[in-house]
Short mmCIF file of all heavy atoms in Angstrom, two decimals:
data_model
loop_
_atom_site.label_atom_id
_atom_site.label_comp_id
_atom_site.label_asym_id
_atom_site.label_seq_id
_atom_site.Cartn_x
_atom_site.Cartn_y
_atom_site.Cartn_z
N THR K 9 -178.35 -47.19 141.14
CA THR K 9 -177.74 -46.94 142.45
C THR K 9 -176.24 -47.29 142.34
O THR K 9 -175.75 -47.81 141.30
CB THR K 9 -178.45 -47.91 143.46
OG1 THR K 9 -177.86 -47.68 144.73
CG2 THR K 9 -178.27 -49.35 143.08
N PHE K 10 -175.57 -46.99 143.46
CA PHE K 10 -174.15 -47.39 143.59
C PHE K 10 -174.00 -48.56 144.61
O PHE K 10 -172.91 -48.97 144.92
CB PHE K 10 -173.29 -46.21 144.10
CG PHE K 10 -173.44 -44.98 143.19
CD1 PHE K 10 -173.76 -43.76 143.72
CD2 PHE K 10 -173.21 -45.07 141.82
CE1 PHE K 10 -173.87 -42.61 142.96
CE2 PHE K 10 -173.37 -43.91 140.98
CZ PHE K 10 -173.64 -42.72 141.59
N ASP K 11 -175.13 -49.05 145.08
CA ASP K 11 -175.12 -50.07 146.07
C ASP K 11 -174.87 -51.42 145.44
O ASP K 11 -175.29 -51.69 144.30
CB ASP K 11 -176.46 -50.09 146.81
CG ASP K 11 -176.46 -50.85 148.13
OD1 ASP K 11 -175.36 -51.02 148.71
OD2 ASP K 11 -177.54 -51.21 148.60
N ASN K 12 -174.28 -52.34 146.22
CA ASN K 12 -174.06 -53.70 145.77
C ASN K 12 -173.36 -53.87 144.44
O ASN K 12 -173.59 -54.78 143.69
CB ASN K 12 -175.39 -54.44 145.68
CG ASN K 12 -176.07 -54.65 147.05
OD1 ASN K 12 -175.50 -54.28 148.08
ND2 ASN K 12 -177.26 -55.19 147.07
N GLY K 13 -172.47 -52.93 144.17
CA GLY K 13 -171.67 -53.00 142.93
C GLY K 13 -172.36 -52.55 141.67
O GLY K 13 -171.77 -52.58 140.60
N ALA K 14 -173.60 -52.05 141.80
CA ALA K 14 -174.30 -51.62 140.60
C ALA K 14 -173.65 -50.36 140.03
O ALA K 14 -173.04 -49.62 140.76
CB ALA K 14 -175.79 -51.29 140.96
N THR K 15 -173.74 -50.20 138.76
CA THR K 15 -173.19 -49.08 137.98
C THR K 15 -171.69 -49.26 137.67
O THR K 15 -171.26 -49.27 136.52
CB THR K 15 -173.49 -47.76 138.58
OG1 THR K 15 -174.89 -47.56 138.70
CG2 THR K 15 -172.90 -46.60 137.77
N THR K 16 -170.85 -49.40 138.73
CA THR K 16 -169.41 -49.59 138.47
C THR K 16 -169.13 -50.90 137.78
O THR K 16 -168.27 -50.99 136.92
CB THR K 16 -168.61 -49.48 139.77
OG1 THR K 16 -169.20 -50.42 140.77
CG2 THR K 16 -168.63 -48.08 140.32
N ASP K 17 -169.87 -51.97 138.14
CA ASP K 17 -169.65 -53.29 137.45
C ASP K 17 -169.98 -53.16 135.94
O ASP K 17 -169.21 -53.62 135.11
CB ASP K 17 -170.51 -54.38 138.10
CG ASP K 17 -169.99 -54.88 139.41
OD1 ASP K 17 -168.89 -54.48 139.81
OD2 ASP K 17 -170.76 -55.61 140.09
N GLU K 18 -171.12 -52.57 135.63
CA GLU K 18 -171.51 -52.46 134.28
C GLU K 18 -170.58 -51.58 133.47
O GLU K 18 -170.23 -51.85 132.31
CB GLU K 18 -172.93 -51.87 134.18
CG GLU K 18 -173.99 -52.88 134.52
CD GLU K 18 -174.29 -52.96 136.00
OE1 GLU K 18 -173.66 -52.26 136.79
OE2 GLU K 18 -175.15 -53.80 136.42
N LEU K 19 -170.10 -50.49 134.04
CA LEU K 19 -169.16 -49.62 133.40
C LEU K 19 -167.85 -50.27 133.07
O LEU K 19 -167.29 -50.10 131.97
CB LEU K 19 -168.98 -48.31 134.16
CG LEU K 19 -170.21 -47.32 134.14
CD1 LEU K 19 -169.94 -46.23 135.16
CD2 LEU K 19 -170.35 -46.77 132.70
N ARG K 20 -167.35 -51.02 134.00
CA ARG K 20 -166.06 -51.72 133.73
C ARG K 20 -166.23 -52.75 132.59
O ARG K 20 -165.35 -52.88 131.73
CB ARG K 20 -165.57 -52.46 134.98
CG ARG K 20 -165.04 -51.54 136.03
CD ARG K 20 -164.36 -52.35 137.16
NE ARG K 20 -163.72 -51.56 138.15
CZ ARG K 20 -164.22 -51.19 139.30
NH1 ARG K 20 -165.47 -51.67 139.67
NH2 ARG K 20 -163.61 -50.44 140.16
N PHE K 21 -167.31 -53.40 132.58
CA PHE K 21 -167.60 -54.38 131.53
C PHE K 21 -167.69 -53.73 130.19
O PHE K 21 -167.14 -54.15 129.12
CB PHE K 21 -168.90 -55.16 131.86
CG PHE K 21 -169.33 -56.08 130.74
CD1 PHE K 21 -168.72 -57.27 130.50
CD2 PHE K 21 -170.45 -55.71 129.92
CE1 PHE K 21 -169.14 -58.14 129.46
CE2 PHE K 21 -170.83 -56.53 128.87
CZ PHE K 21 -170.17 -57.72 128.69
N LEU K 22 -168.43 -52.62 130.15
CA LEU K 22 -168.59 -51.91 128.85
C LEU K 22 -167.34 -51.30 128.31
O LEU K 22 -167.07 -51.17 127.14
CB LEU K 22 -169.72 -50.88 128.99
CG LEU K 22 -171.14 -51.48 129.17
CD1 LEU K 22 -172.17 -50.35 129.43
CD2 LEU K 22 -171.55 -52.31 128.01
N ALA K 23 -166.46 -50.84 129.26
CA ALA K 23 -165.16 -50.30 128.87
C ALA K 23 -164.35 -51.41 128.16
O ALA K 23 -163.71 -51.19 127.19
CB ALA K 23 -164.44 -49.73 130.05
N ARG K 24 -164.37 -52.59 128.79
CA ARG K 24 -163.65 -53.69 128.16
C ARG K 24 -164.25 -54.03 126.78
O ARG K 24 -163.49 -54.26 125.82
CB ARG K 24 -163.75 -54.95 129.08
CG ARG K 24 -163.19 -56.20 128.50
CD ARG K 24 -161.63 -56.20 128.54
NE ARG K 24 -161.09 -57.15 127.56
CZ ARG K 24 -161.15 -58.51 127.70
NH1 ARG K 24 -161.75 -59.04 128.74
NH2 ARG K 24 -160.63 -59.26 126.78
N ALA K 25 -165.59 -54.00 126.69
CA ALA K 25 -166.23 -54.29 125.42
C ALA K 25 -165.84 -53.22 124.39
O ALA K 25 -165.57 -53.57 123.24
CB ALA K 25 -167.77 -54.31 125.59
N PHE K 26 -165.79 -51.99 124.76
CA PHE K 26 -165.48 -50.95 123.78
C PHE K 26 -164.01 -51.12 123.30
O PHE K 26 -163.70 -51.00 122.09
CB PHE K 26 -165.55 -49.55 124.39
CG PHE K 26 -165.04 -48.47 123.45
CD1 PHE K 26 -165.82 -48.13 122.32
CD2 PHE K 26 -163.84 -47.88 123.64
CE1 PHE K 26 -165.32 -47.16 121.41
CE2 PHE K 26 -163.37 -46.99 122.74
CZ PHE K 26 -164.11 -46.60 121.64
N ASN K 27 -163.10 -51.47 124.19
CA ASN K 27 -161.69 -51.63 123.83
C ASN K 27 -161.50 -52.79 122.84
O ASN K 27 -160.50 -52.82 122.16
CB ASN K 27 -160.82 -51.80 125.06
CG ASN K 27 -160.56 -50.51 125.80
OD1 ASN K 27 -160.21 -49.49 125.16
ND2 ASN K 27 -160.74 -50.47 127.09
N VAL K 28 -162.42 -53.73 122.84
CA VAL K 28 -162.35 -54.84 121.88
C VAL K 28 -163.16 -54.56 120.62
O VAL K 28 -162.67 -54.69 119.54
CB VAL K 28 -162.82 -56.14 122.57
CG1 VAL K 28 -162.88 -57.28 121.54
CG2 VAL K 28 -161.96 -56.51 123.75
N GLN K 29 -164.41 -54.13 120.84
CA GLN K 29 -165.32 -53.98 119.69
C GLN K 29 -165.22 -52.67 119.01
O GLN K 29 -165.61 -52.52 117.80
CB GLN K 29 -166.78 -54.19 120.20
CG GLN K 29 -167.10 -55.58 120.81
CD GLN K 29 -168.53 -55.60 121.32
OE1 GLN K 29 -169.20 -54.54 121.51
NE2 GLN K 29 -169.03 -56.73 121.61
N HIS K 30 -164.82 -51.61 119.78
CA HIS K 30 -164.84 -50.26 119.20
C HIS K 30 -166.24 -49.78 118.79
O HIS K 30 -166.37 -49.03 117.83
CB HIS K 30 -163.77 -50.10 118.10
CG HIS K 30 -162.44 -50.50 118.48
ND1 HIS K 30 -161.68 -49.84 119.38
CD2 HIS K 30 -161.65 -51.59 118.06
CE1 HIS K 30 -160.51 -50.43 119.56
NE2 HIS K 30 -160.47 -51.51 118.78
N ASP K 31 -167.20 -50.25 119.50
CA ASP K 31 -168.61 -49.83 119.28
C ASP K 31 -168.84 -48.50 119.92
O ASP K 31 -168.74 -48.39 121.20
CB ASP K 31 -169.54 -50.93 119.79
CG ASP K 31 -171.01 -50.63 119.57
OD1 ASP K 31 -171.33 -49.47 119.25
OD2 ASP K 31 -171.84 -51.56 119.69
N GLU K 32 -169.17 -47.45 119.19
CA GLU K 32 -169.33 -46.17 119.68
C GLU K 32 -170.43 -46.07 120.72
O GLU K 32 -170.32 -45.22 121.66
CB GLU K 32 -169.65 -45.17 118.58
CG GLU K 32 -168.47 -44.71 117.73
CD GLU K 32 -167.42 -43.94 118.60
OE1 GLU K 32 -167.84 -42.97 119.28
OE2 GLU K 32 -166.29 -44.30 118.65
N GLN K 33 -171.40 -46.96 120.69
CA GLN K 33 -172.50 -46.92 121.65
C GLN K 33 -171.94 -47.24 123.06
O GLN K 33 -172.31 -46.67 124.06
CB GLN K 33 -173.58 -47.92 121.26
CG GLN K 33 -174.84 -47.80 122.19
CD GLN K 33 -175.49 -46.44 122.17
OE1 GLN K 33 -175.40 -45.72 121.17
NE2 GLN K 33 -176.11 -46.04 123.24
#
């Protein structure tokens, strides 16, 4: 869902993770 911050919160976190880890997943 897009309710209560779901989906956008996780995507922001994973973007930060990729920029540090460079994990293709």
Side-chain angles (χ1 to χ4, degrees):
T9 180
F10 305 127
D11 197 21
N12 293 357
T15 300
T16 52
D17 283 353
E18 284 84 1
L19 285 170
R20 286 190 176 100
F21 173 76
L22 292 175
R24 175 76 200 289
F26 174 76
N27 282 314
V28 175
Q29 298 176 346
H30 304 293
D31 182 342
E32 280 296 307
Q33 187 60 28

